[in-house]
Amino acid sequence: EFNELVLEFPNSVVACDLTVFDYYKRGKSYDDNLKDLALNYPALASKCRKLTIFQNANVSLAYTLFYHNIIRYFTHFEKHKMPFVFTLYPGGGFVLENDRVNEQLSRICKSHYFRGVIVNQPYVFNYLCEKDICDENKITLVSGAPINIENYRVEHIDESKFDNPELDILFMANKYMIQGFDKGFDLFQLIAKQLIIQMPKTKFHVIGNFSEGD
């Protein structure tokens, strides 16, 4: 996702605050991880900078991912009069039917410097409208998840694989609420119940912090 952004906006910088770096560093330093990133995404790696408290105060637009990031930097954007956009994916601190979260989002979306919010689930779009959190004309729905399609291209497709009665279906997400509703786990369950009747050999796999009880 960020690779596409830096290609689209050449005069851009990706500011890394390293708050969760220890979780993802794989025993490597920041510089070593940056070298690894450069192997597949040279344009992105060249734009990455360690964030300092006053870095990039004079920019035409700031962009963040997830609720917890916009919460962390909202006062900074306001203080330095920085126009901003953010993406509100499920999870990342965004909890449905939470008064505190709704109040925070409403305050952010009413900011003079707020330019828009991007959502990737229709229910999030409807939620922001129904709760009067954000004006509809400032919400952009881009369904699905950003992926690099080049990673999935194959030169030859073995069509015989589609005749195989055995099918493996994977659901992968973190659980943040009952039934995993914000990630569509309830729909996954409904589909599984119907599909297993038609294709008894289907196998379902779940990756994430769900349990056998789920």
Side-chain angles (χ1 to χ4, degrees):
E1 179 171 358
F2 278 95
N3 189 64
E4 293 301 314
L5 287 171
V6 298
L7 291 175
E8 184 71 22
F9 302 98
N11 188 25
S12 61
V13 171
V14 179
C16 312
D17 68 8
L18 306 186
T19 51
V20 293
F21 177 68
D22 285 344
Y23 184 79
Y24 294 102
K25 66 181 182 181
R26 302 171 300 159
K28 298 183 178 182
S29 67
Y30 172 85
D31 290 335
D32 287 338
N33 272 282
L34 198 59
K35 290 177 182 177
D36 288 346
L37 181 66
L39 295 176
N40 293 315
Y41 301 100
L44 175 58
S46 68
K47 295 298 186 74
C48 290
R49 308 285 187 274
K50 289 184 180 180
L51 180 67
T52 57
I53 191 167
F54 295 114
Q55 183 177 359
N56 301 325
N58 184 27
V59 299
S60 58
L61 185 70
Y63 171 71
T64 68
L65 274 177
F66 293 111
Y67 171 82
H68 62 75
N69 283 321
I70 189 61
I71 288 296
R72 180 179 293 124
Y73 293 106
F74 174 63
T75 55
H76 181 78
F77 296 158
E78 289 265 289
K79 177 181 178 181
H80 294 283
K81 301 179 180 180
M82 299 169 63
F84 65 90
V85 173
F86 68 101
T87 294
L88 192 62
Y89 288 149
F94 174 46
V95 182
L96 298 175
E97 305 299 341
N98 183 289
D99 291 340
R100 177 60 176 167
V101 170
N102 290 348
E103 290 171 5
Q104 292 276 48
L105 283 174
S106 181
R107 183 168 66 95
I108 290 169
C109 292
K110 288 177 172 57
S111 167
H112 177 72
Y113 303 102
F114 171 68
R115 296 294 181 267
V117 58
I118 301 167
V119 301
N120 72 331
Q121 300 280 8
Y123 82 86
V124 177
F125 183 99
N126 295 332
Y127 183 84
L128 294 178
C129 294
E130 292 169 1
K131 297 294 182 181
D132 197 27
I133 292 173
C134 183
D135 292 336
E136 182 176 338
N137 61 0
K138 286 197 172 184
I139 309 172
T140 299
L141 173 63
V142 183
S143 294
I147 61 172
N148 184 356
I149 194 64
E150 295 300 326
N151 293 340
Y152 299 91
R153 292 190 188 278
V154 292
E155 294 182 1
H156 174 70
I157 298 176
D158 184 358
E159 295 184 3
S160 65
K161 291 183 177 180
F162 295 96
D163 297 326
N164 191 336
E166 295 185 5
L167 180 67
D168 288 87
I169 298 179
L170 168 67
F171 179 90
M172 183 167 62
N174 279 321
K175 180 183 177 182
Y176 293 101
M177 60 185 304
I178 294 174
Q179 283 191 291
F181 172 76
D182 58 339
K183 294 301 181 77
F185 188 67
D186 55 328
L187 297 179
F188 171 75
Q189 289 175 307
L190 289 173
I191 292 171
K193 288 180 179 179
Q194 296 178 43
L195 195 57
I196 200 69
I197 297 173
Q198 301 176 41
M199 301 179 66
K201 292 186 178 181
T202 303
K203 296 179 181 178
F204 300 92
H205 310 268
V206 178
I207 295 178
N209 54 336
F210 290 83
S211 68
E212 292 185 5
D214 296 308

